[in-house]
Every structure is written in C-alpha cells, then in structure tokens.
C-alpha cells in the first residue's frame, strides 16, 4: 500500500497478490478493483439531488403533512454515487424533495409523489 493518495484523482497504489493456480491470469493483464476501507451501518442516506446550497450551508426541503416544503440545514458526511449521508438535521422517515428542490423557497406548497425507493 502506497503511503499517500493523489489529491487530484484520489488514486493510490496497491500491490495485490492473487492466487493463479489455473494460470488463467497472464502477466501484463489489466484489472479493476474496488477496495472498501470502511463501512457505515445504520446511516441516514438521501439522494444528493435533494441537497441545496444556500449561502455557505447545505439544506434540504422537508415536506410536512400539509404539503408545505420547509428548508432545513443539514450536516452532510460522505457523498458518493449520487447519495449523501446525513449526520444531523434530518430524521429517518421524513420526506424530502429530491427533484426540483433548487427552485423552491421556504413555505412553498408542493405536490408530493409516491416514491418507489425507500
């Protein structure tokens, strides 16, 4: 494992030894790997399209039972592959606007749509 990571590409160098008993792998062959260096269990995750930059903070619009969207500041952890971990400011089960949130203002009425994803 290389002692550093390139700050521009987030790439590092690793040497992996793979058993090759059947000699299916040949010298010089390319490969792609994904290394998991940590896992977060029971994390609150939302679509990162729900995040709206207001000033120097990130907010989401939470939709209440009265179909009113309210802006709420959130603390974001890891962001990856279209998803964002929410560390603070949102509770599990709350409805957030994931599409068109950028054009909303606090207190606007919205028409919630059923979601097919949890």
């Amino acid at each position: 494992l290389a002692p550093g990571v390139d700050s521009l590409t987030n790439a590092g160098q690793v040497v992996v030894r793979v058993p090759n008993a059947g000699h299916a792998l040949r010298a010089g062959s390319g490969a792609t790997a994904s290394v998991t260096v940590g896992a977060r269990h029971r994390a609150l995750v939302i679509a990162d399209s729900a995040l709206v930059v207001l000033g120097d903070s990130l907010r989401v619009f939470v939709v209440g039972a009265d179909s009113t969207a309210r802006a709420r500041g959130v603390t974001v952890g890891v962001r990856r592959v279209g998803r964002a971990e929410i560390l603070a400011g949102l509770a599990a089960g709350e409805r957030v606007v994931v599409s068109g949130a950028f054009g909303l203002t606090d207190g606007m009425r919205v028409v919630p749509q059923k979601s097919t994803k949890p």
Side-chain angles (χ1 to χ4, degrees):
L1 191 59
V5 174
D6 184 314
S7 62
L8 295 175
T9 63
N10 288 331
Q13 198 169 41
V14 158
V15 174
V16 178
R17 300 200 188 280
V18 179
N20 191 19
H23 302 289
L25 301 174
R26 308 230 182 259
S29 297
T32 301
S34 177
V35 179
T36 302
V37 294
R40 303 215 195 257
H41 300 283
R42 303 191 51 82
L44 179 59
V45 178
I46 63 171
D48 68 357
S49 62
L51 297 171
V52 177
V53 179
L54 291 174
D56 60 351
S57 64
L58 289 171
R59 298 186 183 272
V60 296
F61 282 92
V62 178
V63 180
D66 62 352
S67 296
T68 300
R70 296 285 180 197
R72 188 181 303 167
V74 292
T75 303
V76 177
V78 176
R79 289 176 75 173
R80 186 163 184 259
V81 193
R83 296 183 179 167
E85 174 190 28
I86 302 299
L87 301 174
L90 192 63
E94 289 186 290
R95 293 188 303 175
V96 296
V97 176
V98 296
S99 177
F102 187 72
L104 291 177
T105 57
D106 192 55
M108 280 183 110
R109 303 225 1 135
V110 296
V111 179
Q113 306 245 327
K114 295 279 186 199
S115 174
T116 57
K117 295 181 181 178

